[in-house]
Amino acid sequence: MAPKTTITRALLEWESKPRKMGCVAATKWFCKRVQRFRPVRLTRYTSTGRCFQHVVATDGVIRIDLVPGMDSPDE
């Protein structure tokens, strides 16, 4: 397991190369590196009432979304 690091260093590592992960895998990757962060599943609704979910990392105060483009329904 990678040693715990800072938010800034983890984000620099994330941006250091192209990555193709879904929101669950990306959040797991981040939480493994940054202490006190854990995944949280957000429930969203489309204008027609259809439900979809997105996963981000949080420490209870800050939310980190490494793949914001995936925060949309699969349509």
Side-chain angles (χ1 to χ4, degrees):
M1 176 153 96
K4 298 292 182 176
T5 188
T6 66
I7 294 170
T8 302
R9 286 185 181 149
L11 292 175
L12 287 171
E13 181 184 350
W14 176 261
E15 294 173 346
S16 70
K17 63 181 180 178
R19 298 178 191 271
K20 291 186 179 187
M21 293 185 199
C23 61
V24 174
T27 299
K28 190 176 193 179
W29 179 95
F30 184 84
C31 291
K32 188 172 17 172
R33 284 163 175 74
V34 183
Q35 195 171 17
R36 295 187 317 272
F37 274 80
R38 67 193 189 308
V40 64
R41 186 172 298 270
L42 307 174
T43 301
R44 309 265 200 237
Y45 296 91
T46 65
S47 59
T48 60
R50 186 170 163 263
C51 175
F52 67 96
Q53 295 186 328
H54 186 61
V55 178
V56 297
T58 187
D59 66 354
V61 177
I62 299 169
R63 283 186 180 170
I64 305 286
D65 187 354
L66 294 175
V67 287
M70 298 193 84
D71 190 5
S72 62
D74 297 331
E75 294 183 319

